Amino acid sequence: MFAAEARWVGERLAAFSAEELSPLLNIGSSTSEFRETAQPWTIDHIFRPLAERGVDIVHLDARDGPGIDIRADLLDEDDFHRVGTGRYRALLCCNV
């Protein structure tokens, strides 16, 4: 995600209350290192502001790694159904 995209997404999410967004499932999250080091603007414009507002963020990726809460391949029927049992109010799926 480019920095301009992160700003735009963050601005759009700011229009919703924490109760409308939480919990939010971030699909294709990558690792915390990637979010914090390679693309820190995602933390600055999306995830930190959401967390400060009390939005519970669940990070999902197809691989294991630090900062990934759920490992699932959504093209796998069992994984898809397992993730689908979660009660998420919002889904974030950017650049997947």
Side-chain angles (χ1 to χ4, degrees), residues 13-29:
L13 291 173
F16 296 92
S17 70
E19 293 76 24
E20 291 175 295
L21 296 173
S22 189
L24 178 142
L25 181 63
N26 178 26
I27 299 171
S29 69

Side-chain angles (χ1 to χ4, degrees), residues 1 5 19 23 34 37-38 40 42 45 57 60 75-76 80 87-89 91 96:
M1 175 181 297
E5 291 174 288
E19 293 76 24
F34 182 81
T37 305
T42 63
H45 297 291
I57 303 163
L60 178 148
L75 297 177
D76 177 88
F80 182 83
R87 299 285 181 161
Y88 303 104
R89 290 197 171 275
L91 303 175
V96 175

Side-chain angles (χ1 to χ4, degrees), residues 1-2 5-7 9-11 13-14 21 23-37 39-60 67 69 90-95:
M1 175 181 297
F2 296 114
E5 291 174 288
R7 279 191 298 278
V9 169
E11 290 169 1
L13 291 173
L21 296 173
L24 178 142
L25 181 63
N26 178 26
I27 299 171
S29 69
S30 195
T31 63
S32 55
E33 179 182 0
F34 182 81
R35 292 189 304 271
E36 295 166 6
T37 305
Q39 294 188 355
W41 46 86
T42 63
I43 296 294
D44 295 340
H45 297 291
I46 300 173
F47 300 115
R48 183 177 303 117
L50 289 173
E52 288 173 351
R53 291 176 34 206
V55 175
D56 181 30
I57 303 163
V58 179
H59 297 287
L60 178 148
D69 302 307
L91 303 175
L92 187 62
C93 185
C94 299
N95 299 79

